[in-house]
Amino acid sequence: MAKATFDHTPMRDSYDVVIIGGAIMGSSTAWFLTDNPDFDGSVLVVERDPTYEMCSTAHTNSCMRQQFSTELNVRISQFAADFVTNIREYMGGDDRIPDLPIRSFGYLYLADTETFADTLRANQKIQHAAGAQTQLLTPDEILAAYPFYNVDDILLGSINTVNEGYWDGAAVFDWWKRQARERGVEYIANEVVEMARSARGIESVTLKTGEVITCGHVVNATGPRAARTAAMAGITVPVEPRKRYSWVFRAETPLDRDLPLTIDPSGVHCRENGGGTYQAGGHAEIDPAADYDDFGMDHGLWETHIWPVLATRIPAFEAVKIQAEWTGHYAMNTLDHNAILGPHPDVPNFIFLNGFSGHGLQQSPAMGRGTAEWLTYGEYRSLDLSPFAYDRIVRNDPIRETAII
């Protein structure tokens, strides 16, 4: 991921929008603000670590899918696919921006119970109604397309190979950040440590270096740290860091075709990485909240859980060699694993952009665009994202999304 050099001190003492967190959600919002001809305000992005080394954006699988169980989540990913595949056009025809095709090897969900198979059937109907091209596969059909699987325990599969698979999220992030700065968005390497709140809302933020910045709106784009940021405003939000482990390995006998991002019934997932290498991910059975700075690796998890599952599902993975491993954090919305978006009902200029629970990268185009629309117009105009409002947290009214990885 490209590194940036930011100043520590803001150029002004007042901004129309202060975005706390400059990773992919904050940078998407910043860029879409600059791209909106009706927005003419000033924007400050405060990023605590401009190397982005430990942020969720840097640890992602960088894949997108349309296989969700709610129409809104499907349409959010459809916009992501359109944006990525037409990125140069979206970004003003800038000749510096490369073509970024989606490597559409698809996601393959595998069901080993009738209950999960029924879920896949119900989800396909929703996906088809939204225009996705999801296919249901019997075990024999899975083997015909992908003969390397062991499907002895599988009842049904679900796959979509149109605009579903790997995309270069790091490149999109880099260009959002780069072009936003060229258009006048100010990024600083600093940290918000305090907020001053009045009856109107958030009046100012205080930086770690002591500067007090007055603001029109504050956007919480701090990923797994969302609850800490909200607490400065006297607000609670049910988002916490959850450890997610990743491994890149080389197979002694590579598969003879692309491996879809395979979601085993156990929850272990694995995808094509290229050149005879593959990327796998998963988490421990006990999955507590992690400390914000805890990126320690569970070195035993591979041997005791991940590799046995992979070698059973894909016998060719019996002989593999680990090439890299790391720990990242999901920004887990513990209510319903879906985004929390828009203003707080009692602090109207505090804007949530939180809780993406592992599918934030693929949702960043729509979420950044929607947040920029709300900041400009006080409403969503391209795609109605209001179901993600904070009000449902207060009501304890979760969005039911069954396609969670």
Side-chain angles (χ1 to χ4, degrees):
M1 184 161 299
K3 295 184 178 181
T5 301
F6 302 156
D7 290 333
H8 296 284
T9 305
M11 297 174 63
R12 307 168 52 167
D13 59 9
S14 180
Y15 294 83
D16 294 297
V17 178
V18 173
I19 300 173
I20 307 175
I24 201 156
M25 286 296 175
S27 290
S28 174
T29 299
W31 182 84
F32 274 102
L33 283 170
T34 70
D35 202 55
N36 190 324
D38 295 325
F39 180 82
D40 61 359
S42 54
V43 181
L44 176 69
V45 177
V46 183
E47 171 52 49
R48 60 187 298 275
D49 178 15
T51 71
Y52 296 101
E53 182 180 4
M54 305 311 293
C55 72
S56 296
T57 301
H59 293 141
T60 175
N61 280 336
S62 202
C63 286
M64 71 171 67
R65 60 186 164 102
Q66 299 187 35
Q67 290 186 77
F68 286 93
S69 69
T70 59
E71 180 185 353
L72 181 53
N73 276 333
V74 177
R75 296 201 180 280
I76 287 168
S77 285
Q78 288 173 332
F79 176 64
D82 184 63
F83 185 91
V84 171
T85 54
N86 297 285
I87 185 170
R88 188 180 298 120
E89 180 181 348
Y90 271 105
M91 300 191 80
D94 190 332
D95 290 338
R96 298 172 299 169
I97 297 173
D99 290 326
L100 296 176
I102 298 168
R103 187 174 179 185
S104 292
F105 44 64
Y107 280 56
L108 177 62
Y109 286 84
L110 297 173
D112 63 349
T113 66
E114 280 296 344
T115 298
F116 191 27
D118 285 342
T119 296
L120 294 181
R121 294 182 185 105
N123 290 354
Q124 188 208 32
K125 292 179 181 178
I126 294 167
Q127 293 154 15
H128 276 192
Q133 299 187 37
T134 308
Q135 304 174 58
L136 297 178
L137 302 177
T138 66
D140 286 343
E141 290 170 332
I142 294 171
L143 285 178
Y146 307 102
F148 45 74
Y149 286 118
N150 170 11
V151 294
D152 289 348
D153 61 333
I154 297 303
L155 302 178
L156 192 69
S158 174
I159 193 169
N160 169 33
T161 56
V162 178
N163 288 334
E164 189 165 289
Y166 173 81
W167 60 291
D168 193 343
V172 175
F173 168 47
D174 183 62
W175 278 105
W176 273 337
K177 182 169 78 273
R178 187 183 309 188
Q179 216 180 58
R181 295 179 75 192
E182 291 172 352
R183 293 175 174 184
V185 172
E186 186 180 345
Y187 279 69
I188 59 171
N190 214 312
E191 186 173 358
V192 172
V193 295
E194 187 178 341
M195 298 184 195
R197 174 178 162 181
S198 69
R200 183 189 73 86
I202 305 303
E203 296 289 344
S204 66
V205 300
T206 300
L207 302 180
K208 190 173 185 178
T209 48
E211 295 87 350
V212 177
I213 309 297
T214 60
C215 50
H217 288 91
V218 172
V219 178
N220 181 357
T222 53
R225 295 173 178 263
R228 174 179 284 184
T229 302
M232 297 181 209
I235 295 168
T236 60
V237 61
V239 177
E240 59 189 34
R242 296 287 183 89
K243 282 188 173 185
R244 292 298 180 265
Y245 303 98
S246 295
W247 296 264
V248 172
F249 62 90
R250 178 172 294 278
E252 183 177 291
T253 305
L255 305 178
D256 64 354
R257 64 201 73 189
D258 279 352
L259 174 67
L261 197 157
T262 305
I263 302 97
D264 188 80
S266 66
V268 173
H269 51 88
C270 186
R271 69 163 173 87
E272 180 69 34
N273 201 50
T277 66
Y278 304 88
Q279 183 171 332
H283 61 85
E285 183 177 358
I286 299 174
D287 185 31
D291 291 338
Y292 293 117
D293 296 313
D294 178 8
F295 292 91
M297 191 72 188
D298 184 344
H299 294 287
L301 188 60
W302 172 261
E303 292 286 344
T304 61
H305 180 51
I306 304 298
W307 180 41
V309 168
L310 293 177
T312 300
R313 185 62 59 203
I314 303 173
F317 289 168
E318 181 67 32
V320 300
K321 183 177 182 180
I322 296 293
Q323 294 193 317
E325 59 183 13
W326 64 89
T327 305
H329 287 170
Y330 271 11
M332 187 67 77
N333 172 1
T334 58
L335 176 69
D336 61 15
H337 298 187
N338 276 286
I340 304 169
L341 207 66
H344 188 278
D346 300 323
V347 191
N349 70 336
F350 185 93
I351 311 302
F352 294 101
L353 188 55
N354 304 119
F356 295 96
S357 306
H359 44 269
L361 195 80
Q362 65 186 297
Q363 294 196 328
S364 58
M367 295 302 181
R369 179 184 65 175
T371 302
E373 288 174 348
W374 201 95
L375 289 166
T376 303
Y377 306 114
E379 63 181 6
Y380 303 113
R381 294 196 169 180
S382 299
L383 187 63
D384 183 9
L385 301 174
S386 58
F388 296 120
Y390 182 87
D391 291 353
R392 82 180 192 280
I393 308 297
V394 178
R395 300 192 309 268
N396 193 30
D397 183 20
I399 296 170
R400 179 169 168 74
E401 173 58 71
T402 62
I404 298 295
I405 300 175

